[in-house]
Amino acid sequence: MQKNFLPAVALIIAHFAVAIFAPDFAGVSIAHLLIIYGILATLTTLHVLCGIVVKKQFPEQAALIVIALNMLKMILAMILLFVVVVPLAGKSASVAINFLVAYFAFIFLDSVFAILILNKDKK
């Protein structure tokens, strides 16, 4: 099970390494990267917890509800990107690129968690 998370964790570590060792290439500071990852980690945690509750309450419709929650998470992430992160950083293109890298890491984690939750037998 731990091997499922390795690609996302490797991407996150590589992203922070690039921001630390090549800040001109990354285009954002570590503080802005922490804000981006904090927002996405919070949304992902809420998504996973909602997925667990949905699986227990509505096992037949769980897959569709998890997909709907994923869409809601994406919309909220984009709103927070443009309302919170871009005004702080001031460089919308580099922030958007770094946001997408982080977002893809969390999408991978979301997919793994969704598969684990949906495959779990109801107790």
Side-chain angles (χ1 to χ4, degrees), residues 15-30 33 91 94 98:
H15 196 192
F16 275 99
V18 168
I20 291 170
F21 297 116
D24 292 335
F25 182 74
V28 294
S29 67
I30 297 296
L33 214 53
K91 301 175 268 187
S94 62
N98 283 287

Side-chain angles (χ1 to χ4, degrees), residues 16 28-30 42 69 84 95 103 123:
F16 275 99
V28 294
S29 67
I30 297 296
T42 303
L69 288 172
V84 176
V95 170
Y103 188 75
K123 294 181 180 180

Side-chain angles (χ1 to χ4, degrees), residues 11-12 15 26-29 32-44 72-86 89 91-107:
L11 179 63
I12 292 168
H15 196 192
V28 294
S29 67
H32 294 123
L33 214 53
L34 288 173
I35 292 170
I36 290 170
Y37 275 97
I39 289 170
L40 290 174
T42 303
L43 290 174
T44 300
L72 179 65
K73 177 192 164 202
M74 181 179 65
I75 292 168
L76 286 173
M78 293 300 162
I79 290 170
L80 290 172
L81 168 71
F82 290 115
V83 172
V84 176
V85 180
V86 171
K91 301 175 268 187
S92 60
S94 62
V95 170
I97 291 169
N98 283 287
F99 181 83
L100 286 175
V101 170
Y103 188 75
F104 284 129
F106 280 101
I107 282 292

